[in-house]
Amino acid sequence: MEHSIAIRDLTKRYGNFTAVSGLTLEVEPGSICGLLGPNGAGKSTTFKCLLGLARPTSGSIAIEGKPLTPATFQDLAYVPEKSALYENLTLAEHLEYYRRCYARYDAARASELIDMFKLDRKKKVGKFSKGQRTAVSLILAFSLRPRIFVLDEPASGLDPIFQRLVLDLMIEAAAGGASVLFSSHQIGQVERAADRVAILKNGKLVVDGSVDELKTTEKIVEAIFATAAPDIDGLAADPRIRRIERSGRIIRAYVSDGSEAIAKRFEEFSPRDVSIMDLGLEDIFLTAVDGRDATIPHGDLP
């Protein structure tokens, strides 16, 4: 199967600063890949290199097996985090511009999406709110019916109802065979829509895999004590433990292997309860970006 997006050993430096280092990432047809990372992790730089807005220092990028060319954008739709619309043009004028430029433009689909987002065709884009501008960018992207979507914070500024609509549009597009690569600071959005997640930290890929597999590979061992959680000497040094949280009477260990054995170690300290749970995507993200070499206080956790 030919990859829709194939990034190989991508490195991008700005002077002495390395924004992305040795990144390899592939997106298959009909899949949704969520790109996560803290601010400054390299997500936006990756998108810029992918779309030809920045030149990689080294490595290669292929779209459907070929280098990026202007013709690629007939089948690739990009929604940037910051609006790149023409503020003095109305929504209708944007649609006409797209109709003339893109062979796959679907006017009926555009009209359907405008109704979904409840926008005024005659209104200048500069008069729209931030969320409405995001909606305009999404309408333009999805009206092209492209084979590939690259979406940078595609639900930014939208209320929860429209955020859900965006996720549904992505899922629908992937079900029809399109590929979606998107970033989001809202991990719940990625967990709901993506079948695969890639996490960047300091420009490097630290997690890459199926969401379902990642959520079941590691476990959380949680111990609840009657009084303040005791110090458990040497536990943080156990190589099976990626991260430890202490919060009042609770200790949580994020375990890559041997969760039953870690639970037994907790039981030696007479807790009220010990349980083993699967990780959520937020847990996976925090473990990946925080590292495994420290005990991290988080205050009172819910």
Side-chain angles (χ1 to χ4, degrees):
M1 179 187 298
E2 185 174 73
H3 305 299
S4 295
I5 297 172
I7 301 172
R8 311 276 187 181
D9 297 319
L10 172 66
T11 295
K12 176 60 180 177
R13 299 188 185 93
Y14 296 96
N16 293 326
F17 174 69
T18 302
V20 178
S21 178
L23 172 63
T24 293
L25 180 65
E26 297 162 345
V27 182
E28 309 297 341
S31 70
I32 302 176
C33 179
L35 188 63
L36 292 172
N39 291 333
K43 302 186 300 297
S44 293
T45 299
T46 299
F47 282 163
K48 289 177 181 178
C49 292
L50 173 63
L51 298 162
L53 302 175
R55 181 175 296 177
T57 303
S58 61
S60 66
I61 295 171
I63 306 295
E64 295 185 326
K66 301 175 183 177
L68 185 75
T69 67
T72 304
F73 290 93
Q74 289 291 330
D75 297 304
L76 186 155
Y78 171 50
V79 173
E81 180 179 8
K82 295 182 180 180
S83 174
L85 302 169
Y86 298 99
E87 294 193 355
N88 289 325
L89 297 184
T90 65
L91 171 55
E93 289 168 335
H94 277 84
L95 295 173
E96 176 62 16
Y97 175 77
Y98 267 55
R99 185 189 69 79
R100 297 185 184 189
C101 292
Y102 294 95
R104 296 169 67 92
Y105 173 75
D106 185 336
R109 180 59 166 163
S111 181
E112 179 184 14
L113 292 169
I114 289 170
D115 291 341
M116 287 180 181
F117 284 105
K118 299 177 171 50
L119 296 181
D120 183 352
R121 293 170 178 263
K122 298 179 180 180
K123 192 172 182 177
K124 289 187 176 181
V125 167
K127 300 294 184 180
F128 284 141
S129 68
K130 177 183 177 181
Q132 288 174 323
R133 294 184 194 188
T134 298
V136 172
S137 297
L138 290 163
I139 290 167
L140 295 172
F142 281 88
S143 68
L144 299 182
R145 295 196 180 276
R147 292 196 294 269
I148 300 170
F149 292 86
V150 178
L151 311 175
D152 195 356
E153 297 289 339
S156 177
L158 296 173
D159 67 31
I161 294 174
F162 288 132
Q163 288 180 18
R164 175 62 65 89
L165 173 58
V166 173
L167 299 182
D168 288 344
L169 290 172
M170 292 165 53
I171 294 168
E172 179 185 16
S179 304
V180 181
L181 174 63
F182 81 108
S183 69
S184 177
H185 283 103
Q186 298 189 42
I187 296 174
Q189 294 179 357
V190 178
E191 188 162 21
R192 180 177 184 275
D195 47 66
R196 180 180 169 198
V197 64
I199 301 176
L200 296 179
K201 177 183 178 182
N202 298 328
K204 295 183 178 180
L205 185 67
V206 293
V207 171
D208 179 20
S210 158
V211 173
D212 290 339
E213 290 178 357
L214 290 170
K215 288 167 68 174
T216 57
T217 297
E218 296 192 353
K219 303 287 183 181
I220 300 173
V221 181
E222 180 182 87
I224 302 174
F225 295 85
T227 57
D231 291 329
I232 301 180
D233 294 336
L235 196 62
D238 192 311
R240 297 170 295 186
I241 296 177
R242 296 280 302 276
R243 186 166 64 99
I244 295 176
E245 290 177 352
R246 299 174 61 91
S247 175
R249 295 178 296 170
I250 302 171
I251 296 180
R252 295 188 182 97
Y254 294 76
V255 181
S256 59
D257 187 29
S259 57
E260 295 286 349
I262 299 300
K264 289 181 179 179
R265 291 195 62 184
F266 277 136
E267 288 170 356
E268 294 173 4
F269 293 82
S270 303
R272 290 178 54 184
D273 182 65
V274 177
S275 56
I276 299 174
M277 302 172 287
D278 291 340
L279 269 70
L281 187 56
E282 182 177 10
D283 300 312
I284 295 167
F285 174 78
L286 291 173
T287 301
V289 300
D290 280 341
R292 64 161 300 276
D293 57 352
T295 298
I296 303 169
H298 279 258
D300 293 332
L301 299 176

